[in-house]
Structures are given as structure tokens and as C-alpha cells.
Amino acid sequence: MKKKISDSSIHRLSLYFRALSLFEMENYETVSSKELAKHEKLTPAQIRKDLSSFGSFGTRGLGYPVHELKNKIASILGIDRSWRVALVGIGNIGSALVSYKEFMKHGFQIIKLFDNDQRKIGSNHKGIIVSDIKNIQQELKESNIQIVIISVPATVAQNIVDDVVEAGVKAILNFAPINLRVPDDVILRNENMSMELEYLSFNLVNYSQEDDIEEV
Amino acid sequence: MKKKISDSSIHRLSLYFRALSLFEMENYETVSSKELAKHEKLTPAQIRKDLSSFGSFGTRGLGYPVHELKNKIASILGIDRSWRVALVGIGNIGSALVSYKEFMKHGFQIIKLFDNDQRKIGSNHKGIIVSDIKNIQQELKESNIQIVIISVPATVAQNIVDDVVEAGVKAILNFAPINLRVPDDVILRNENMSMELEYLSFNLVNYSQEDDIEEV
DNA sequence: CCATTCATGTGAATAGCTTCACAAGTAAAT
DNA sequence: ATTTACTTGTGAAGCTATTCACATGAATGG
Ligand SMILES: NC(=O)c1ccc[n+]([C@@H]2O[C@H](COP(=O)([O-])OP(=O)(O)OC[C@H]3O[C@@H](n4cnc5c(N)ncnc54)[C@H](O)[C@@H]3O)[C@@H](O)[C@H]2O)c1
Ligand SMILES: NC(=O)c1ccc[n+]([C@@H]2O[C@H](COP(=O)([O-])OP(=O)(O)OC[C@H]3O[C@@H](n4cnc5c(N)ncnc54)[C@H](O)[C@@H]3O)[C@@H](O)[C@H]2O)c1
């Protein structure tokens, strides 16, 4: 029976991968949990705990082998392979995402684009011809798409997601600010930028230095 | 002494605000924690707990007054006012963010843009003239900027953040995939889209239905 | 070869967050 | 006025995540 890995632990694995990539470029042979922790502002114990749920990768007294651990984490995260990704809604944010090279580097290949705007359908974005949203179910299946990115207005997102789910896609990354309903076997993540700005304003209002006098 | 509010609780406040806005548009007078919970896939108890750290806003037997609670949460989150925001790096993602109307609606006004590309400096984006990055410190101070969005390549992000911090800005939203160092009194949030895709691939690899047979 | 230093891996302890469960308050119907 | 149906607000319980602390093992230097 596999142990359930927490969401935060998964996210930290991404950080470790990123840090290890940098250490590798600087020709480090090994790196300790202490060094990794400093780099990503975490605690050494947490890094060791996180890694220990997947095996023993380090050497006592020495640390972790950079290259090897990086590959191991890539395999754990599933970024040692290629993922077939489609994106729906080639507007402001959609276009930015299609141009983002980092995705490709981590194995996420955007190979299909969908929109409902006649001016966009048939046009070429980074070598991909934009398909008509009408054909989405058929084309997702044909291209064997595994992950779909949603970057359409919130009002139409649920309808599109229903189609995407019906086409058998099991993983969705949503940029529309709306709580989408998907079946239990579909993994949904939301990217909500307003939320992060609101986090900042909350802290500015409630915890910034000037307010301290009120707390006495 | 103020009680420390958890990050997840702050994020949920944003969800409540969004849900209440919808309920308000549908002319609901009141809404129960149960209804809110269903809307955002949370538990009623959690919503009541979250709200209770800021006061008693509901009426037993009836629920919460939609309009009033929405305003109250807006005030708690600090989105009942206007924030002066600057954005650095008018590339793919930067341009998308400048065009994003949702930010404005929640009080985040992007009023300054910076870049180091001569072709972009002086050009007009949504009514804002792009400034030379060289003058960032002076112009941030002059315009009394409170929040800065970083959308430059990771390699130059730390340098820019150092300037931003020196100019007295206390809140930063970073899109570059790098761990930026800021003093303790500066609030930093990172928006990392690769991380979310990696979360999806992790779950596809580790928990999707097809793998279940391996777990027996 | 032995002492010293370093750093992992992991149970145990602690801290933090979520859910439970219920007393208490409100509204509406009769 | 009383009953019924509802829903809040909140201590307490339960659960999850993080940190502590140390036994264990590896490398280095004299
Ligand atoms: N622009 C941003 O920086 C930003 C940031 C965060 C979130 N978002 C969210 O991302 C989504 C898109 O934002 P945007 O700024 O890119 O908007 P946009 O209007 O520029 O793009 C939306 C695209 O979706 C297409 N579209 C509309 N209805 C469709 C349908 N039924 N089927 C297929 N395509 C359809 C449009 O033709 C357009 O190309 C929105 O939900 C927005 O809230 C945007
Ligand atoms: N494109 C995306 O969808 C996306 C998604 C997530 C994160 N990001 C991150 O956002 C950042 C920007 O990505 P992008 O795709 O928009 O890249 P981009 O190259 O299109 O844009 C970068 C912009 O920054 C400007 N710039 C470069 N150096 C600068 C400096 N020293 N001072 C001021 N401006 C400078 C460039 O002129 C350019 O306009 C990167 O860190 C990237 O990893 C991008």
C-alpha cells in the first residue's frame, strides 16, 4: 500500500528538482539537506522526511548525489517522460502559455490548441494550427491528450471541462477563476492569480509594520 | 494581540469573496455555511471557523447576509481599496497580466510598467508608457507603488527585486521560477505554473486508475 | 587504526489545521 | 405561546504536517 503524499510535499519536490538542476549546472557532485534547505528556505529535516517517503538516496556524512537525486525526483514527479498537452482559449494568457519554453523543458508538450473565435481557428501559433472548439472531443481522443489547460473565460469553462472529461482526459490545469466540477478520478488544479494578489493585500493591511501600534 | 491567520485560511477568504459575489448577483439575501461550502467544495465547519476568527457575521437559523459579508471580507482582504501596482518585464506573461481586467476589479491598478528592451521602452501598453528599468527606484517612489509584479527572466529577477526592495516596496508577486531573497518585512509570493503541471503529472503517474493493480 | 566530523534516516514529540458535535439563538408555522 | 426546523459559533477531539533529536554509517586526517 502506497503512503499518501501530501500536496505540499509534492510541491516541494518541484522545488528540489529546480534546486538540484542549478547545483548540477554548478558541477556539485553532492549536496546536503542543509544546503538544499538554505537554497529553498526550508528546513533540512523536512527535506529528508520528504525524500525518505520514496527511498534512501543519500549517503551519511556526505549528502545526496546531485545528478542521481535529480533524475530520481524527475521520475517521481513524472517529468522524465513526455506529456501530451492541449490548451483551450488562445487569448492573452493562453498565448503566453503556448510561448513558455519551461513547460517543454519539463516534458509538457503543448500539441493542440482550441478556440471558438473564427479569426483564430486555422491560424498558426508556434507551429500549431488552432482547432475549432466544436471538434474538441474527437481531436483530444485522436491526439491522445493527457493534460488540458483551460484559459477561456470563466463563464464557458464548465462546459468545456465537461467535454474534456467526456473525452477521457484525467488531468486539468484551470486558469479561469471558477470552481469547476469534475469526477473523482480527474485531477484538477486551479491557478488563481487574483488570489495571490489578495494574499499580498491581506498581509499589507493586517501585518505591515505601520499597523503594529494597533496591536499593543 | 491578533491571532495569526493561516495561509490557507486567507486563500479561502478569496474563495468566499468570489462565491459571495456570485450569490449577490443571483439576488440571494442570505447564504448558509452549508451552501457556501457546497459551492466551493469545502466543509461548512471550516467556513464558520474561518469567519469566526474575524467576528460574528451570521444569524443562527438563517445564515450570513450575502452583501454584508462580501463587504466585510473585502475589507479583511484589503480589496475594498485601491492598490498601486507596478509590473516589471512586458514579455509574454507580463503583457497578459496588464490586460487582465479582473485585477482592476479587485482594486489592483497596474499603473507603472518597466522593461530594459529599447524597443519596448516608451511604447504604450493599455494606456501606460513603458519606463526604462534604469529609473525603477526613483519612479517606484514617485508613484508611491505598493505592490510589484515580477515577470522577467529568472536570471535577472533577484537584481530587480533588490532594487524594488530598496525603493521601499513591501509586497512582491513573482512569476520567475526562482527563490528570491527579500527581507523579513517584505511579503513575497511566487506563482509557479510548472509546479502545478508537475503536480498533475505526479498524480497521473502515482495515483491514476491504471496503476491500482500494482498496489494489490 | 582510531578519533573526529559530518549528515542521513526515522521514531517520537510538537505544532498546526480541520472536523465534530452541541448549546444557543432565530424564524416561521400553528 | 409553543413547537419545529435551521444554522451559527466554538470548545474539544481528531488528524496531518513539521520539527526534534539521536542512533547509525561514511569519510577524512593524523
Ligand atoms: N490575462 C491574464 O493575465 C489572466 C490571468 C489569470 C487568469 N486569467 C483567466 O484566464 C482566462 C482567459 O483570460 P484572457 O485574459 O486570456 O482572456 P481572453 O479573452 O484574452 O482569452 C479568452 C480566449 O478564449 C476564447 N474562447 C471564448 N469562449 C470560448 C469557447 N466557448 N470555446 C473556446 N474558446 C473560447 C476566446 O476566443 C479567447 O481567445 C479567463 O478565465 C481569465 O479570468 C487570465
Ligand atoms: N510565458 C509564460 O507563460 C510564463 C509562465 C510562467 C512563468 N513565466 C516566467 O515569467 C518570466 C517572463 O516570461 P516570459 O515568457 O514573459 O518571457 P519574455 O522573454 O517574453 O519576457 C521577459 C521580459 O522581461 C524583459 N526583461 C529582460 N531583462 C530585463 C531587465 N533586466 N529589466 C527589465 N526587463 C527585462 C524583456 O525585455 C521581456 O520583455 C520568466 O521568468 C518566466 O519563467 C512565464
Side-chain angles (χ1 to χ4, degrees):
Chain A
M1 175 59 193
K2 287 182 200 171
K3 182 160 30 144
K4 167 78 186 155
I5 308 296
S6 77
D7 286 11
S8 4
S9 182
I10 299 170
H11 276 136
R12 283 194 299 270
L13 286 175
S14 290
L15 295 182
Y16 305 155
F17 180 82
R18 187 178 74 183
L20 288 164
S21 303
L22 291 175
F23 281 116
E24 189 182 39
M25 283 200 298
E26 289 173 20
N27 292 312
Y28 281 62
E29 290 279 309
T30 58
V31 67
S32 67
S33 59
K34 198 175 163 189
E35 292 168 299
L36 267 177
K38 194 178 174 201
H39 196 272
E40 296 295 322
K41 260 210 224 94
L42 299 166
T43 65
Q46 184 155 65
I47 292 176
R48 295 201 298 275
K49 250 278 141 67
D50 279 342
L51 295 178
S52 78
S53 30
F54 300 101
S56 295
F57 310 118
T59 308
R60 294 175 182 202
L62 198 57
Y64 299 93
V66 172
H67 181 71
E68 216 176 297
L69 182 60
K70 172 171 167 267
N71 287 344
K72 187 69 201 176
I73 292 180
S75 149
I76 293 168
L77 284 174
I79 55 177
D80 58 344
R81 66 198 73 189
S82 208
W83 293 100
R84 303 171 72 79
V85 182
L87 184 148
V88 189
I90 320 297
N92 291 309
I93 190 82
S95 306
L97 295 171
V98 173
S99 308
Y100 193 36
K101 296 187 191 74
E102 200 85 358
F103 289 160
M104 193 80 85
K105 269 196 242 163
H106 292 210
F108 300 99
Q109 305 203 311
I110 301 179
I111 55 174
K112 294 290 290 184
L113 301 176
F114 297 92
D115 208 293
N116 76 336
D117 185 334
Q118 289 304 324
R119 288 164 299 180
K120 291 179 182 173
I121 296 169
S123 73
N124 186 314
H125 273 253
K126 299 276 152 183
I128 308 164
I129 305 295
V130 177
S131 299
D132 191 329
I133 187 74
K134 279 183 196 142
N135 309 322
I136 187 166
Q137 285 211 35
Q138 190 194 338
E139 296 195 22
L140 288 178
K141 285 182 205 159
E142 275 171 12
S143 300
N144 203 8
I145 296 295
Q146 297 160 304
I147 300 174
V148 166
I149 299 175
I150 301 287
S151 48
V152 295
T155 43
V156 301
Q158 184 67 60
N159 274 335
I160 291 171
V161 163
D162 291 345
D163 280 354
V164 167
V165 166
E166 209 180 312
V169 173
K170 298 295 184 201
I172 296 172
L173 179 57
N174 170 45
F175 285 83
I178 185 174
N179 183 30
L180 296 171
R181 261 164 308 190
V182 295
D184 283 346
D185 66 336
V186 174
I187 310 147
L188 170 71
R189 292 295 292 186
N190 296 299
E191 192 79 66
N192 190 328
M193 297 171 196
S194 298
M195 207 179 251
E196 295 303 330
L197 280 176
E198 287 165 14
Y199 179 94
L200 292 179
S201 73
F202 174 90
N203 282 281
L204 284 174
V205 167
N206 293 278
Y207 297 123
S208 66
Q209 298 298 327
E210 294 90 337
D211 288 349
D212 278 358
I213 30 175
E214 294 174 25
E215 292 181 44
V216 180
Chain B
M1 176 61 194
K2 287 182 199 172
K3 182 162 29 149
K4 167 79 186 153
I5 308 297
S6 77
D7 286 10
S8 3
S9 183
I10 299 171
H11 276 137
R12 283 194 299 269
L13 286 175
S14 290
L15 296 182
Y16 305 155
F17 180 82
R18 188 178 74 184
L20 288 164
S21 304
L22 291 174
F23 281 116
E24 190 183 39
M25 283 200 299
E26 289 172 22
N27 293 313
Y28 280 62
E29 290 278 310
T30 58
V31 68
S32 67
S33 58
K34 197 175 164 189
E35 292 168 298
L36 267 176
K38 193 176 175 203
H39 197 270
E40 297 295 322
K41 259 210 224 94
L42 300 165
T43 66
Q46 184 156 64
I47 292 176
R48 296 201 299 275
K49 249 281 140 65
D50 280 342
L51 295 177
S52 78
S53 29
F54 300 101
S56 295
F57 311 118
T59 309
R60 294 173 183 205
L62 196 57
Y64 298 93
V66 172
H67 181 70
E68 215 175 297
L69 182 60
K70 172 171 167 267
N71 288 345
K72 187 67 200 177
I73 292 180
S75 150
I76 293 168
L77 284 174
I79 55 176
D80 58 344
R81 67 198 74 188
S82 208
W83 292 99
R84 303 171 73 78
V85 181
L87 184 149
V88 188
I90 320 298
N92 291 308
I93 190 82
S95 307
L97 295 172
V98 173
S99 308
Y100 193 35
K101 296 188 191 73
E102 200 85 1
F103 288 161
M104 193 81 86
K105 269 196 242 162
H106 291 210
F108 300 99
Q109 305 203 310
I110 300 179
I111 56 174
K112 294 289 291 183
L113 301 176
F114 297 93
D115 208 293
N116 77 336
D117 186 332
Q118 288 304 326
R119 288 163 301 180
K120 291 179 182 173
I121 296 170
S123 72
N124 187 313
H125 274 252
K126 298 276 154 183
I128 308 164
I129 306 294
V130 178
S131 298
D132 191 328
I133 186 74
K134 281 184 195 141
N135 309 321
I136 188 167
Q137 285 211 34
Q138 191 195 336
E139 296 195 22
L140 287 179
K141 285 182 207 161
E142 275 172 12
S143 300
N144 204 5
I145 295 295
Q146 297 160 304
I147 300 174
V148 167
I149 299 176
I150 300 287
S151 49
V152 295
T155 43
V156 300
Q158 183 66 61
N159 274 335
I160 290 171
V161 163
D162 291 344
D163 281 353
V164 167
V165 167
E166 209 179 309
V169 172
K170 298 297 183 201
I172 297 172
L173 180 57
N174 170 45
F175 285 83
I178 184 175
N179 182 29
L180 295 171
R181 260 164 307 193
V182 295
D184 283 346
D185 66 336
V186 174
I187 310 147
L188 170 72
R189 292 296 291 185
N190 297 299
E191 191 78 67
N192 189 328
M193 297 171 196
S194 298
M195 207 179 249
E196 295 304 329
L197 279 176
E198 287 165 15
Y199 179 95
L200 292 179
S201 73
F202 175 90
N203 281 282
L204 284 174
V205 167
N206 293 277
Y207 297 123
S208 65
Q209 298 298 327
E210 293 90 337
D211 289 348
D212 279 356
I213 29 175
E214 295 174 23
E215 292 180 44
V216 181

